[in-house]
């Protein structure tokens, strides 16, 4: 371990981590931690020794000039701290320990022990690992975010899923398992990135992860230009899809499957629950650029509202109109049939169906992760849940 500065004394600290590579489709997770570090001006206080964990032929160092002097930046994992003076809009301060780096090439158990050593020394109350995976999800719908843990009590208390994942794992799964053995509460949040547009960046998935992190930790996260970036990203993908009829048809099939799967979440009870959560967190002083319980403040596009673990955010249905008196048909050929009768309520039965499309996943760093990931994933990896 390389000590860069003295370890600060923290207030109710929570550690938030993300790692580039296999568990970071579209760079969505690492970009979320980078956003927190940038918005709250994080101060780096430690870094892991790159010699111990990285293969420099896989993750090469970079050379840059500083006032004419050549310097080298080595691939590593750095820890920084941010203090939030008004964490929940009620004047309560809180600290976050941000862990951002590259998935190590070797000695994963030692790597996790170093991270947990810092968590213990700093009095970290919980560790939250962010991840992103490829999934059969349309870019036109809210990004699904799954919150999972291997701790049954934590799952019940925070309304999370207990992980049931089995299969190949990445550093996210190893770190979460290490937390379980060390007695440190740990949660992983996974955003599903459309596999047909996996190239980074994906600001819409990053925004969804930050929104979910807000709900989990009861924080108010300044979004800066992230909302506009997400809107521009979706418009760009819309244009690309419109230029290819095969892709457009595939996206439509994903939309239909997604909408059918979301039907149970559109109940009046789910909508009422989401609205109550919005009212509890609503701040009259908040302006655009702050995430709220209903999504992005002052957002005109409902497609940027997030999916939550307790129910997906959907626009409320309009109030029903007063029924009109049915008119008697003049010359009805079927006198036994009542005009204005109810329509057949049967709907599509596409839940759980997998749509196969023309798109292909990205490079090796955007493969679907394992640990802490969703269970209903494409054939090459998990896509909707998490190992933990």
């Amino acid at each position: 371990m390389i000590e860069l500065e003295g370890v600060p004394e923290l207030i109710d600290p929570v550690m938030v981590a993300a790692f580039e590579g296999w568990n970071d489709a579209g760079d969505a997770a690492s970009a979320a931690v980078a956003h927190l570090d940038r918005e709250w001006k994080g101060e780096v206080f430690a870094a892991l020794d790159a010699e111990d964990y990285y293969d420099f032929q896989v993750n090469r160092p970079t050379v840059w000039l500083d006032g004419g002097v050549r310097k080298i930046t080595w691939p590593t994992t750095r820890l920084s701290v941010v203090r939030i003076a008004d964490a929940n809009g009620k004047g309560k301060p809180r600290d976050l320990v941000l862990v951002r780096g590259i998935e190590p090439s070797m000695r994963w158990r030692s790597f996790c022990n170093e991270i947990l050593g810092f968590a213990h020394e700093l009095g970290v109350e919980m560790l939250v690992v962010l991840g992103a995976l490829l999934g059969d999800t349309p870019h036109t719908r809210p990004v699904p975010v799954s919150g999972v843990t291997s701790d049954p009590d934590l799952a019940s208390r925070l309304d999370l899923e207990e992980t049931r994942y089995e299969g190949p794992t990445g550093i996210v799964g190893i770190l979460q398992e290490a937390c379980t053995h060390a007695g440190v509460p740990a949660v992983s949040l996974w955003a599903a990135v459309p596999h047909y547009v996996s190239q980074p960046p994906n600001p819409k998935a990053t925004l969804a992860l930050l929104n979910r992190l807000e709900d989990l930790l009861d924080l108010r996260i300044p979004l800066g230009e992230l909302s506009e970036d997400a809107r521009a990203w979706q418009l760009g993908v819309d244009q690309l899809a419109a230029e290819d009829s095969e892709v457009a048809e595939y996206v439509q099939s994903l939309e239909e499957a997604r909408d059918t799967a979301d039907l149970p979440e559109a109940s009046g009870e789910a909508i009422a629950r989401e609205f109550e959560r919005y009212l509890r967190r609503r701040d009259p002083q908040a302006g655009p650029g702050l995430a709220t319980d209903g999504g992005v403040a002052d957002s005109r596009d409902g497609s940027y509202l997030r999916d939550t673990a307790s129910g997906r955010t959907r626009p409320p249905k309009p109030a029903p109109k007063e029924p009109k008196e049915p008119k008697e048909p003049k010359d009805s050929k079927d006198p036994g049939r009542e005009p204005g009768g109810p329509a057949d309520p049967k709907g599509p039965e596409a839940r759980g169906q997998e749509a196969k499309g023309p798109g292909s996943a990205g490079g090796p760093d955007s493969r679907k992760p394992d640990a802490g990931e969703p269970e209903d994933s494409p054939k090459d990896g998990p896509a909707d849940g998490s190992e933990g």
Side-chain angles (χ1 to χ4, degrees), residues 10 13 47 51 66 68 80 91 121 140 143 160 162 197 217 249 264 272 290 305 316 333 335 342 373:
L10 307 182
E51 290 279 351
D66 181 13
S80 60
E121 185 176 354
T140 54
V143 176
L160 302 169
E162 284 190 64
V197 56
L217 301 182
E249 183 179 349
L290 285 178
L305 303 184
K333 295 183 180 180
E373 315 170 17

Side-chain angles (χ1 to χ4, degrees), residues 19-272:
F19 303 94
E20 300 174 16
W22 201 60
N23 298 141
D24 192 25
D27 292 352
S30 58
V33 174
H35 178 86
L36 297 175
D37 188 78
R38 182 172 57 253
E39 290 294 325
W40 279 318
K41 299 177 175 58
E43 297 182 7
V44 176
F45 63 88
L48 305 189
D49 190 344
E51 290 279 351
D52 293 339
Y53 305 113
Y54 294 98
D55 180 349
F56 298 138
Q57 290 183 326
V58 176
N59 298 292
R60 293 185 178 273
T62 57
V63 179
W64 56 287
L65 295 176
D66 181 13
V69 179
R70 291 170 63 85
K71 294 186 177 182
I72 296 177
T73 299
W74 296 92
T76 187
T77 295
R78 293 178 172 81
L79 289 83
S80 60
V81 62
V82 298
R83 171 151 296 175
I84 312 168
D86 187 11
N88 59 359
K90 299 177 182 178
K92 181 181 179 181
R94 188 172 202 176
D95 291 320
L96 295 183
V97 179
L98 304 180
V99 181
R100 181 187 173 202
I102 304 170
E103 183 178 62
S105 307
M106 60 194 79
R107 301 185 183 90
W108 284 16
R109 285 176 291 187
S110 298
F111 180 89
C112 293
N113 286 338
E114 286 217 48
I115 298 295
L116 288 175
F118 265 93
H120 178 73
E121 185 176 354
L122 297 171
V124 167
E125 299 177 349
M126 183 170 65
L127 187 145
V128 181
V129 192
L130 306 183
L133 45 83
L134 301 178
D136 289 333
T137 180
H139 72 279
T140 54
R141 295 295 184 265
V143 176
V145 177
S146 300
V148 296
T149 180
S150 55
D151 184 340
D153 295 333
L154 198 62
S156 175
R157 180 159 52 90
L158 298 180
D159 193 19
L160 302 169
E161 303 174 22
E162 284 190 64
T163 179
R164 293 289 183 267
Y165 173 79
E166 294 178 304
T169 187
I171 192 60
V172 172
I174 300 299
L175 180 56
Q176 191 160 8
E177 183 67 14
C179 289
T180 300
H181 289 295
V184 177
V187 174
S188 59
L189 302 179
W190 290 94
V193 173
H195 67 84
Y196 57 89
V197 56
S198 60
Q199 297 84 355
N202 190 320
K204 186 174 180 179
T206 297
L207 179 61
L209 282 171
L210 292 175
N211 283 331
R212 187 68 177 87
L213 184 66
E214 267 199 327
D215 291 341
L216 182 68
L217 301 182
D218 191 23
L219 296 176
R220 302 298 301 273
I221 299 176
L223 298 178
E225 298 179 356
L226 189 57
S227 300
E228 288 300 322
D229 292 342
R231 183 175 291 107
W233 176 88
Q234 178 164 325
L235 291 175
V237 179
D238 285 343
Q239 293 175 358
L240 292 175
E243 295 172 359
D244 190 322
S245 59
E246 188 177 2
V247 173
E249 183 179 349
Y250 177 60
V251 172
Q252 184 178 2
S253 68
L254 292 179
E255 291 173 340
E256 293 172 355
R258 173 69 182 277
D259 292 344
T260 301
D262 284 352
L263 285 178
E265 304 293 343
S267 65
E269 182 181 351
I271 294 175

Side-chain angles (χ1 to χ4, degrees), residues 294-370:
V296 179
D298 196 31
S299 174
R300 297 180 296 274
D301 189 347
S303 63
Y304 297 100
L305 303 184
R306 63 192 177 284
D307 282 10
T308 63
S310 60
R312 293 175 172 81
T313 304
R314 299 172 65 87
K317 298 180 180 179
K321 297 180 180 180
E322 290 294 330
K324 297 181 180 180
E325 289 294 331
K327 297 181 180 180
E328 290 292 338
K330 295 182 179 179
D331 297 283
S332 176
K333 295 183 180 180
D334 185 3
R337 180 177 178 271
E338 295 184 8
D344 186 355
K346 294 182 180 179
E349 299 176 358
R351 184 181 182 87
Q353 294 180 356
E354 294 185 0
K356 297 182 180 180
S360 59
D365 279 352
S366 59
R367 293 174 294 170
K368 296 189 177 183
D370 66 42

